Amino acid sequence: MTELKFNKDGLIPVVIQDANTNKVLMMAYMNEQSLEKTLETGETWFFSRSRGELWHKGATSGHMQKVKRIDYDCDGDTLLIQVEQCGGACHTGAASCFYRSLFGEEQSSSGDFLSELEKIITGRKATKPAGSYTSKLFDGGLDRILKKVGEEAGEVIIAAKNQDRNELIYETGDLLFHLLVLLAQKDVALSEVLAELASRHRPKISEAESGC
């Protein structure tokens, strides 16, 4: 760690980024001990400036962060850690701590919401909170989840046949949700499905064409 520069309090700021979406999830601080525990365990540990102690991300909520990569900046005084996030990264339950904007009350980013929803569903699978519909689906096992996927697919077909646009939007939302539950049950990441789609539809560029 000789390349790293900790401040006068023995701390270094850490930016946490989603390894799949590159979205910034949170910012915290580490000291040498918490960084060592992060490297040893493969999960993030931080130093709480308010409590003056180490804390293991997700130890209480179950929203663990599995470390995929650790980089540091040109000055060696800031870390960038890419993680696989289980559940929401923010203590409020939001997928990211950066959900508010100076240009408005809250950012509404529906474009990457499927990834956020995937994390929420994965969190439900890990923690099984009482009263959660998603928890009940996981408790029911694969057969119950498959039954719901089949039912929702049928509802989408009916909505399309009825030529009801609003109904089609609503039922498609239900189908996508239950498909994400199925993927989580089978430990398949949404990013794997998106990569498969990208490989089918992105134009293949030869080495000669790319100029490499």
Side-chain angles (χ1 to χ4, degrees), residues 54-194:
L54 301 187
W55 61 284
H56 181 197
K57 176 64 176 173
T60 302
S61 66
H63 296 174
M64 305 289 188
Q65 294 175 339
K66 296 183 179 179
V67 176
K68 295 300 178 182
R69 182 184 176 97
I70 302 180
D71 296 317
Y72 56 93
D73 73 339
C74 55
D75 295 321
D77 59 4
T78 304
L79 294 177
L80 174 65
I81 301 184
Q82 293 185 326
V83 303
E84 281 190 1
Q85 175 71 52
C86 176
C90 183
H91 74 280
T92 64
S96 167
C97 292
F98 296 92
Y99 60 86
R100 294 178 293 182
S101 172
L102 291 177
F103 295 96
E105 276 304 305
E106 293 190 3
Q107 290 181 329
S108 178
S109 178
S110 58
D112 60 356
F113 182 68
L114 278 180
S115 294
E116 293 183 19
L117 182 57
E118 178 187 36
K119 291 178 177 58
I120 293 170
I121 290 170
T122 303
R124 295 288 190 273
K125 181 183 178 184
T127 60
K128 300 284 184 65
S132 164
Y133 170 71
T134 310
S135 297
K136 292 178 182 177
L137 286 174
F138 286 122
D139 287 338
L142 180 61
D143 286 345
R144 180 172 182 178
I145 296 170
L146 290 174
K147 181 180 179 182
K148 288 301 297 181
V149 170
E151 289 176 357
E152 299 303 338
E155 294 293 337
V156 169
I157 293 170
I158 293 171
K161 292 288 288 183
N162 288 342
Q163 299 187 18
D164 186 323
R165 187 173 184 275
N166 290 333
E167 182 184 0
L168 179 58
I169 291 171
Y170 182 88
E171 297 299 346
T172 300
D174 279 349
L175 177 57
L176 288 173
F177 168 79
H178 288 90
L179 281 172
L180 287 175
V181 173
L182 174 60
L183 292 178
Q185 176 69 13
K186 300 299 291 183
D187 294 320
V188 175
L190 176 62
S191 60
E192 295 178 85
V193 178
L194 296 178

Side-chain angles (χ1 to χ4, degrees), residues 1-30:
M1 299 183 192
T2 54
E3 302 92 342
L4 300 181
K5 299 175 184 176
F6 294 82
N7 66 19
K8 60 183 178 61
D9 298 316
L11 303 176
I12 189 169
V14 184
V15 176
I16 303 297
Q17 182 182 43
D18 190 295
N20 295 317
T21 67
N22 292 328
K23 184 171 185 175
V24 174
L25 300 177
M26 58 178 284
M27 180 268 179
Y29 289 86
M30 287 183 176

